[in-house]
Amino acid sequence: MKKLTILAIGVLSVSNIIAQDISDALRYSQDEIQGTARFRALSGAFGALGGDMSAVSINPAGSAVFTKSHASLSLSSLNVDNDISYFNGRSSSSDSKIDLNQAGAAFVFQNTNESSSWKKFVLSVAYDKTANYDDQWFASGRNTNSIDDYFLDYANGRRLDEISAFTNETLSDAYAEIGSIYGFGNQQAFLGYESFILEPESDTDENTIYTSNIAPGTFNQQYDYVARGYNGKFSFNAATQYKDKLYLGINLNTHFINYERYTFLNESNSNEGSLVTNVGFENNLLTIGNGFSFQLGAILKLTNELRAGLTYNSPTWFTITEETSQNISTVQNDGSGSFSSFINPNIINIFPSYRLLSPGKITGSLAYVFGDQGLISFDYSRRDHTNTKFKPTSDPFFASQNNIMNNVFKVANTYRVGGEYKIKQISLRGGYRLEESPYADDSFYGDLTGYSLGIGYNFGNTKLDLTYDQAQRNTSNQLYSVGLTDAALLDTNNSNITLSLGFNL
């Protein structure tokens, strides 16, 4: 009867089960449109230009610039290179893949009534990858902090009978039951206790104080990180042209998230007094999500050459579900010999869905078109990351995370500039972008800077474009959100080669 009562309380206390933090909120809020080769060649500075399927994802009025129905698709070779430092250790890693990152079509309906001020109506559908999560790296170094801090932070204050297996209960059953009744934190304490890392002050059910069987000193640590997945967006677009001056559009966007992450920490020590001399801790995460947003956009021809664009991106309303699995191994040495323990619950924790509100964005654009010779374009975007919210905000855990984001995030500006020069059927392109860090302390998550170069050839009804672009950012990646919060420092370079085929329908 006692267990059934606690189970009812546990089911109602959803925040006891959830373990999201601000890094999750930021990851799923990033919206870097990868786009067509021409779009990437101008570093995405397309808000006042239009006439490109990925430009439609930036400013929905851009589809009304098409004079004929149009379609395009793009393939990219994505490369991620990391230089990693962790205390006295240095390493590097590289990961690459080829991917279809853009496809779309715009259908133009000309108004046959020549006296009407509304010249055309356009319907479009487009897919763009907005984030690539594929990454892998390895960090190694000597630390004075141990993984035992992670388990101690979760264990202290919790009763021993709420973090340990009952007599004749398998470890797998105990892990599952503790998770369903008490939540994620108690499961972490359970792993620490059953693997002999934690020692209770007294061996009674009421005990809430724990010490570590790992003695202070230095620790050799190796940390593996592998991530896979993406964030994508389907846009359903409608746009129109008023006279020869004004283009208006709207996008209704469906977002989807697929993210998988594997991490493994191996820690060893030879500190005097250590009962536990080696720890291997594996964590796996699967995240599935979907969301909705909308965009409103306009492009105005101030003169025949000068154009201005304005876009409002609504917040994105996400619903996200997560699954986790874990195992831990330890080696103990009591002076008379060594023995090992391996706890693999073989349990997949399926957490209740939660909601995430990513912040909206305003983009202003200017472009100057030199007739048939070329153009230069500039985009400025403003996004207030303090508006990022876990929901419901009445949940105490979510409220605490929202308060943290309000304090550590800031308004981030993005600047993009691009140019194009035409020599008959050949187009030469280049661009530069700067995306400010969403963190008030940009030493933790730095600004992103990037450049791009591209070339295109116009066959008439068909266009072929090729672009190379690169972006660099420094980040500080904490190993764990509690306890062992030391960070690996990453200098990350993303380089991409994109090939696009566009054609009139």
Side-chain angles (χ1 to χ4, degrees):
M1 182 60 67
K2 178 180 179 182
K3 287 186 181 180
L4 291 176
T5 302
I6 295 174
L7 176 59
I9 295 172
V11 170
L12 293 174
S13 301
V14 174
S15 65
N16 288 335
I17 304 174
I18 297 173
Q20 289 76 36
D21 60 33
I22 64 174
S23 64
D24 298 306
L26 180 63
R27 180 188 309 113
Y28 306 133
S29 296
Q30 301 288 64
D31 61 350
E32 178 189 352
I33 302 296
Q34 297 188 4
T36 65
R38 185 177 181 225
F39 177 87
R40 299 184 79 147
L42 272 66
S43 290
F46 252 94
L49 291 173
D52 182 278
M53 288 312 305
S54 290
V56 177
S57 291
I58 295 295
N59 186 338
S63 64
V65 177
F66 285 116
T67 57
K68 298 179 180 179
S69 296
H70 179 84
S72 68
L73 57 88
S74 303
L75 288 173
S76 281
S77 171
L78 311 173
N79 301 278
V80 181
D81 298 303
N82 293 304
D83 290 322
I84 308 104
S85 61
Y86 184 68
F87 294 99
N88 63 322
R90 301 290 184 272
S91 60
S92 61
S93 68
S94 182
D95 190 40
S96 63
K97 67 180 293 187
I98 296 176
D99 196 19
L100 174 69
N101 66 289
Q102 178 277 329
F107 302 93
V108 179
F109 302 92
Q110 300 286 351
N111 191 344
T112 57
N113 183 359
E114 295 182 0
S115 63
S116 174
S117 297
W118 299 97
K119 300 299 182 182
K120 74 180 77 155
F121 179 69
V122 183
L123 292 175
S124 307
V125 59
Y127 162 75
D128 276 287
K129 179 179 284 189
T130 59
N132 174 48
Y133 298 137
D134 288 7
D135 196 10
Q136 61 180 15
W137 48 270
F138 173 79
S140 177
R142 290 181 64 84
N143 193 355
T144 56
N145 298 318
S146 168
I147 187 61
D148 66 351
D149 289 335
Y150 174 87
F151 299 106
L152 285 168
D153 276 11
Y154 280 114
N156 280 316
R158 289 181 162 95
R159 288 170 55 101
L160 180 59
D161 60 352
E162 295 175 357
I163 67 166
S164 58
F166 292 140
T167 304
N168 298 324
E169 184 179 31
T170 68
L171 295 180
S172 181
D173 288 343
Y175 178 88
E177 188 170 14
I178 287 171
S180 65
I181 298 175
Y182 303 110
F184 176 82
N186 285 63
Q187 282 182 326
Q188 307 316 293
F190 167 84
L191 293 176
Y193 174 74
E194 296 292 350
S195 63
F196 301 97
I197 294 174
L198 303 181
E199 189 70 32
E201 185 177 71
S202 60
D203 194 16
T204 61
D205 288 348
E206 296 79 13
N207 177 79
T208 59
I209 301 174
Y210 304 86
T211 56
S212 174
N213 283 320
I214 299 177
T218 59
F219 306 91
N220 296 309
Q221 294 173 341
Q222 295 87 38
Y223 184 82
D224 278 300
Y225 176 101
V226 180
R228 292 289 180 264
Y230 58 92
N231 193 335
K233 179 176 77 170
F234 275 112
S235 297
F236 302 91
N237 164 266
T240 187
Q241 178 184 346
Y242 180 76
K243 295 186 176 180
D244 292 325
K245 297 290 185 181
L246 181 64
Y247 306 85
L248 301 171
I250 182 173
N251 283 350
L252 301 179
N253 305 312
T254 299
H255 302 257
F256 46 93
I257 296 169
N258 187 300
Y259 175 68
E260 296 180 68
R261 184 181 68 212
Y262 160 89
T263 64
F264 182 79
L265 175 76
N266 183 69
E267 176 184 289
S268 61
N269 76 88
S270 55
N271 302 331
E272 184 178 354
S274 273
L275 174 63
V276 175
T277 58
N278 188 279
V279 179
F281 187 34
E282 177 180 320
N283 284 271
N284 298 282
L285 169 69
L286 170 64
T287 302
I288 302 293
N290 59 78
F292 171 79
S293 71
F294 67 89
Q295 295 164 278
L296 301 173
I299 296 175
L300 177 64
K301 281 188 176 181
L302 302 174
T303 68
N304 285 335
E305 295 80 17
L306 184 62
R307 303 176 184 182
L310 182 65
T311 307
Y312 169 72
N313 287 56
S314 77
T316 303
W317 294 270
F318 283 111
T319 299
I320 297 174
T321 301
E322 294 184 337
E323 300 177 5
T324 65
S325 60
Q326 304 176 285
N327 64 69
I328 189 169
S329 62
T330 57
V331 175
Q332 302 100 49
N333 193 326
D334 60 4
S336 60
S338 62
F339 58 98
S340 60
S341 300
F342 179 58
I343 301 175
N344 184 5
N346 287 313
I347 296 293
I348 296 176
N349 294 311
I350 303 176
F351 297 106
S353 297
Y354 66 94
R355 288 177 287 147
L356 174 67
L357 180 71
S358 72
K361 181 171 64 175
I362 294 289
T363 301
S365 311
L366 285 174
Y368 193 90
V369 180
F370 301 93
D372 294 330
Q373 291 183 309
L375 59 88
I376 186 168
S377 181
F378 172 77
D379 279 14
Y380 164 76
S381 299
R382 183 183 188 275
R383 195 174 198 188
D384 188 352
H385 289 272
T386 64
N387 291 329
T388 309
K389 295 288 185 292
F390 286 115
K391 290 196 170 186
T393 55
S394 58
D395 182 276
F397 177 80
F398 286 159
S400 68
Q401 293 300 303
N402 293 340
N403 184 60
I404 292 172
M405 290 189 290
N406 190 59
N407 291 325
V408 303
F409 285 163
K410 68 172 184 179
V411 174
N413 301 306
T414 298
Y415 307 90
R416 303 185 181 202
V417 61
E420 180 179 66
Y421 181 71
K422 295 182 180 180
I423 307 172
K424 295 183 179 181
Q425 286 83 21
I426 298 175
S427 297
L428 305 176
R429 303 167 183 136
Y432 173 82
R433 61 178 168 141
L434 168 64
E435 298 180 13
E436 293 181 346
S437 170
Y439 283 88
D441 179 9
D442 60 10
S443 64
F444 179 76
Y445 191 92
D447 297 341
L448 181 144
T449 58
Y451 68 88
S452 52
L453 295 170
I455 188 171
Y457 192 89
N458 188 345
F459 294 91
N461 285 328
T462 303
K463 297 179 181 179
L464 192 64
D465 300 302
L466 182 67
T467 292
Y468 171 82
D469 65 273
Q470 186 180 68
Q472 184 274 336
R473 168 174 269 155
N474 294 322
T475 58
S476 180
N477 194 303
Q478 284 187 334
L479 303 194
Y480 300 94
S481 58
V482 300
L484 184 59
T485 57
D486 298 290
L489 305 179
L490 273 67
D491 181 358
T492 301
N493 281 275
N494 289 277
S495 58
N496 307 278
I497 298 174
T498 304
L499 179 66
S500 293
L501 176 66
F503 48 92
N504 295 328
L505 299 174

